[in-house]
Amino acid sequence: MPSIASSLLSESTAEALLPSAFRVISRHSETPDTVTLGLESEDGKEVPFAPGQFMMFYVFGIGEVPISISSDPQSTGTLLHTVRSVGAVTKAVVDLQIGDRVGLRGPYGVGWPVAAAEGNDLLVAAGGIGLAPLRPVVFDVLARRDRFGAVSVIYGARSPADLLFVEELHTWRSRFDMEFEVTVDRSDETWHGDVGVVTGLLPRVSFDPTRTVAMLCGPEIMMKVVANEVTKRGVAPENIYVSVERNMKCAIGFCGHCQFGADFMCRNGPVLPYSRLGDRLRVPEL
Amino acid sequence: MSQVVVDRSDIGVLFDVLVSDGYTIVGPTVQDRAIVYDALDGVDDLPIGWTDEQDGGKYRLLPREDEALFGYAVGQHSWKKLLFPPRVTLLEVKRTNGSLEFVQSEVPEVRYAFLGVRACELAAIAIQDRVFLGSGPVDRTYQTARRDVFTIALNCMVAGGTCFCVSMETGPRCTSGYDLVLTEIIDSDRHEFVFEAGTEAGEIVLSRLQGRAASGSDLARVDQIVEETASNMGRSMETAGIKELLLANLEHPRWDEVAERCLACTNCTLVCPTCFCSTTEDTVTLDGNLATRSRRWDSCFTMDFSSLHGVPVRSSTRSRYRQWMTHKLATWFDQFGSSGCVGCGRCITWCPVGIDITAEVAAIRASEGVVL
Amino acid sequence: MNLQSMRESSELLTRLSNTELEFFESVSRETHLANGQILFEEGGPADSFFIVSKGKIGLEMTSPGMAAMVIQTLGPGDLVGVSCFFPPHRWNWRARAMEDTDLIVFDAVEVRRMCDVNRDLALEVLGVVAEEVVRRLHGTRIQLLDLYRST
């Protein structure tokens, strides 16, 4: 079982910066601008990872971009990456077809403290594409369900058309050993679910704040708002974890791009306890 | 460790010994009206008889009244250009029928002798050692150059107009991290160099130079020179509690004030001997079958540096200046256990508008806790 | 009807003293809506307010040539119909059951009358309503930020 510490496969930066060849073996359009790609190593190697870790994803001649792993940690042969087209590299990634070759290196980063959450209630709160790095947590937890207390997942999306992992959501919704609630910011004619901000789902799920570990991922404002609400309900800031995104070039703590205060998001993050960064999130442009 | 005095007329032997040992000697030389670091062929390549005048946004070479070899302060280059080169090829990607092959690039074997490394520069190299050779993967380019370098340190006889090594406790005396250290003594009746070995390798080179054992008065003269340099610092910075001071004042109005002057030109990060930020660049050949990835120097002052999904996190010049200064003087402690600043003054000299990091700290200290 | 069991899930009922709760009980009754049934129409007289005990109510706006847009859903414990506390006492939105829903209906005319006489109760009730309105405003503003869109 991989530890949550950064998994550095080599001694030198030159080796650490060298991607391995991977092939796209599956492609699923989640929404008009987001796809989930399945990738396998050309050398047949397995890539163990911890939920919340990311790979540096290289598209030939265009560049590299950090992308969270969104697959089940138990299946290390195929890696799933859920990618939204927001720039030159991610657009190229979203356009990839089955059979295309890419370069991957990693996994990097400190992931979600799933093992540390054992014996507690778990609250997972996702906003938009933030569900992608949290999905491995849900897989992980359900694989050893008896080790956790109440498990609740709340998910806010822009609209019904922007929901990710629709099949998965149906499965989660129908399980009796977890609570799953979803809401959208704006509705359409097909939607009979909740409409409103994701914090509105908190009263719908049950967790004991005195023994809850909360894992939040989504736009920074969303994470702040949910963290505040969850703190008001009595969850201690050191038990609230957020995933902070920053520009990354090397992913191994050298290039300096991902710094957020004293922390390098690629090495000390991207998952950080809220108690450690509360103040930093309030300073604009830090 | 041996202490040997070498006469000016015999200093060329140092060059001969190093060249015969296979070193490329890199040291100060005049180029484009500044004193830079470049490969030296011989003693005559040194800035003989030159000194510099430095202040905020100002650098001038001026002739000295004597023929000192090392009578000036630092220029815009630092030793990082050799240990952490501005551009390095990292890897190549060959594409054949869609398949990708990733090939690591060779690290060039180099054998440098650094001549004239000041105390502040020794401190800067030690800081970059922690960055590139500390925890995590090791930078092979840095490691290769660093492993074989022969360091000849220099006790400064001139304090620069923007120097503040005394405040940063990094100089002007060289205390460790060198194979040899030299101090130039130039009076009306003598022109000599007092050498002291710092390592076994230094001892061996020293034994091949022509000189005499240093006397008590030679060493006293060295002390005197160092003390004089220490008392002539161009700047000073109060460093007590500086990390807490800056991190408690992230919204201080002074940041707005300096942002009005700062051009975000990145000069300070280019000349700073400890700045280490880099970026990666990918290029492809015209036939589309070979891609190359290189690493090149980058700066937190660029608009692009903190770009997230196309929008910079640090959009304003204010936030970027704050990032640079708080990283250099505050969060560097959390990351590497020391300040990132060695007091060399380059950022002050080479800032086109003369922004002075020591004045910025003093301004915040004078009015800390000010809230608009 | 007896409202003790609803106390835990409703902010308003939690804040009331036992005596005040008795009064509210005296002006309340239960009602049930099937999925899709309208609770109240936009512009109608706001003479009641509601607390959802089970199910989901959607607040929606209609416009010619446009399907009804749900802008907020309210669930168990939530207060529906805050407009009844403020002039002109008219509904700003249409409310419709999104699934089979049980509600407690309160006579707003009686509550308003009691609040005119009992200023302490008025302060209590309007305090809870104001907090709820601020909470919804905050949530709406977050929704407006459209955080999940591509930049």
Side-chain angles (χ1 to χ4, degrees), chain B residues 85-350:
Chain B
R87 178 169 251 112
V88 169
T89 304
L90 296 170
L91 56 102
E92 285 187 332
V93 191
K94 300 185 180 136
R95 181 161 70 175
T96 333
N97 297 325
S99 265
L100 300 181
E101 188 196 341
F102 296 93
V103 180
Q104 208 174 298
S105 298
E106 293 276 321
V107 174
E109 285 291 327
V110 290
R111 201 167 154 75
Y112 293 124
F114 290 167
L115 175 60
V117 183
R118 292 110 190 308
C120 62
E121 300 183 301
L122 291 172
I125 292 171
I127 286 172
Q128 286 213 328
D129 284 351
R130 284 197 283 282
V131 175
F132 292 112
L133 307 175
S135 66
V138 156
D139 186 315
R140 290 270 188 254
T141 306
Y142 188 93
Q143 187 187 50
T144 305
R146 184 80 176 91
R147 180 189 59 212
D148 291 337
V149 79
F150 186 88
T151 306
I152 304 157
L154 171 71
N155 283 324
C156 298
M157 61 198 278
V158 165
T162 54
C163 288
F164 56 103
C165 64
V166 170
S167 298
M168 301 313 292
E169 295 176 26
T170 54
R173 185 183 285 275
C174 299
T175 54
S176 67
Y178 51 80
D179 294 294
L180 289 174
V181 60
L182 72 90
T183 311
E184 184 170 21
I185 300 178
I186 183 164
D187 293 329
S188 50
D189 57 345
R190 68 194 251 197
H191 189 176
E192 291 175 314
F193 300 89
V194 179
F195 279 88
E196 187 176 327
T199 61
E200 267 305 304
E203 284 284 4
I204 292 168
V205 167
L206 200 51
S207 67
R208 291 149 72 192
L209 301 184
Q210 277 147 2
R212 58 174 174 80
S215 68
S217 76
D218 292 321
L219 299 176
R221 186 81 176 91
V222 167
D223 287 345
Q224 191 189 18
I225 288 169
V226 169
E227 266 161 47
E228 212 171 294
T229 306
S231 63
N232 284 334
M233 290 285 127
R235 295 289 196 275
S236 71
M237 182 151 79
E238 174 61 64
T239 57
I242 198 169
K243 174 184 137 180
E244 291 71 28
L245 172 74
L246 293 180
L247 295 182
N249 283 285
L250 294 174
E251 302 281 42
H252 196 284
R254 185 71 188 189
W255 302 117
D256 299 294
E257 204 276 334
V258 71
E260 278 170 31
R261 292 176 280 142
C262 176
L263 305 173
C265 73
T266 82
N267 262 14
C268 51
T269 54
L270 287 170
V271 299
C272 174
T274 63
C275 272
F276 61 84
C277 285
S278 63
T279 188
T280 52
E281 276 182 344
D282 292 278
T283 53
V284 197
T285 52
L286 281 174
D287 65 6
N289 289 327
L290 181 69
T292 307
R293 166 165 309 152
S294 343
R295 178 193 75 187
R296 67 159 173 78
W297 286 0
D298 202 352
S299 170
C300 55
F301 278 94
T302 64
M303 188 59 120
D304 239 10
F305 189 82
S306 59
S307 172
L308 199 56
H309 311 310
V311 178
V313 171
R314 294 178 208 120
S315 168
S316 64
T317 303
R318 169 189 179 271
S319 63
R320 287 177 261 151
Y321 188 87
R322 178 181 65 189
Q323 164 62 21
W324 180 69
M325 202 167 113
T326 55
H327 183 206
K328 193 65 60 186
L329 300 176
T331 57
W332 204 288
F333 281 100
D334 296 317
Q335 295 171 350
F336 303 107
S338 75
S339 177
C341 176
V342 297
C344 70
R346 286 179 177 89
C347 57
I348 305 169
T349 296
W350 298 97

Side-chain angles (χ1 to χ4, degrees), chain A residues 33 84-86 126-128 156-158 183-187 189 191-198 204 219 221-222 225, chain C residues 35 56 67-76 78 98-99 138-140 142-151:
Chain A
D33 64 358
R84 180 155 85 174
S85 172
V86 290
R158 184 173 194 259
T183 184
V184 294
D185 278 351
R186 58 196 60 201
S187 180
E189 312 86 70
W191 186 250
H192 296 286
D194 283 294
V195 180
V197 71
V198 69
R204 309 265 173 276
I221 296 176
M222 171 254 168
V225 165
Chain C
N35 179 11
K56 199 193 324 269
M69 309 261 291
V70 175
I71 49 92
Q72 172 106 56
T73 54
L74 300 163
D78 287 337
M98 309 289 291
E99 54 193 63
H138 184 58
T140 305
I142 306 281
Q143 276 169 268
L144 266 180
L145 283 175
D146 201 12
L147 295 174
Y148 309 132
R149 74 181 183 290
S150 300
T151 42

Side-chain angles (χ1 to χ4, degrees), chain A residues 208-265:
Chain A
D208 177 355
T210 62
R211 43 164 263 166
T212 293
V213 171
M215 300 179 185
L216 322 178
C217 190
E220 241 173 67
I221 296 176
M222 171 254 168
M223 290 193 294
K224 271 199 286 198
V225 165
V226 176
N228 282 342
E229 204 46 52
V230 156
T231 308
K232 263 195 251 172
R233 280 159 202 270
V235 179
E238 51 271 18
N239 290 334
I240 302 172
Y241 293 83
V242 295
S243 183
V244 176
E245 217 187 334
R246 284 294 183 270
N247 183 304
M248 287 181 187
K249 289 281 187 284
C250 74
I252 53 178
F254 278 93
C255 69
H257 283 245
C258 69
Q259 288 174 86
F260 179 46
D263 290 310
F264 289 88
M265 286 300 99

